[in-house]
Amino acid sequence: WAGVWVSMGYARAQVLIAEDATVMSMWASVAGAAVNVALNWLMIPAMGVLGSAIATLISQIVAAHLSTLLVPRVRQFGIMQTKALVFPNPFNRYGKANAI
């Protein structure tokens, strides 16, 4: 599941380059690393390898998605990411919008 967030982070990186906000990418990576270290420290003793996997997933979510929602300059892209997760295919096979 972490691959989903890694892919979203890659797409977000392209937007940050286009918006000249690459410093934000660095801070998002730092936040994700800090969350990963803290959660690994807490979860590995209790859950072992599963705790490490969960910590990695959560840190990817923080770095690739939540950090985008927190920065006003790129918040609109974070909203688009959220919509892509909630409504992954807004069109049915006939090309008409779904009634959601």
Side-chain angles (χ1 to χ4, degrees):
W1 284 104
V4 171
W5 303 102
V6 169
S7 298
M8 288 184 75
Y10 179 75
R12 187 200 62 174
Q14 303 308 309
V15 170
L16 294 177
I17 291 170
E19 293 291 328
D20 195 29
T22 52
V23 172
M24 188 241 163
S25 182
M26 179 195 65
W27 288 112
S29 296
V30 169
V35 167
N36 197 354
V37 169
L39 289 178
N40 275 321
W41 183 72
L42 292 171
M43 296 175 84
I44 289 176
M47 301 174 70
V49 175
L50 180 61
S52 178
I54 293 169
T56 298
L57 177 62
I58 293 170
S59 67
Q60 284 294 330
I61 291 169
V62 167
H65 185 68
L66 295 180
S67 62
T68 307
L69 290 170
L70 296 175
V71 178
R73 185 172 175 188
V74 291
R75 185 172 293 139
Q76 186 61 38
F77 183 70
I79 293 168
M80 287 191 289
Q81 284 181 313
T82 303
K83 287 179 181 179
L85 288 169
V86 175
F87 306 113
N89 186 8
F91 301 99
N92 61 19
R93 62 184 169 162
Y94 302 109
K96 297 178 183 176
N98 288 333
I100 298 177

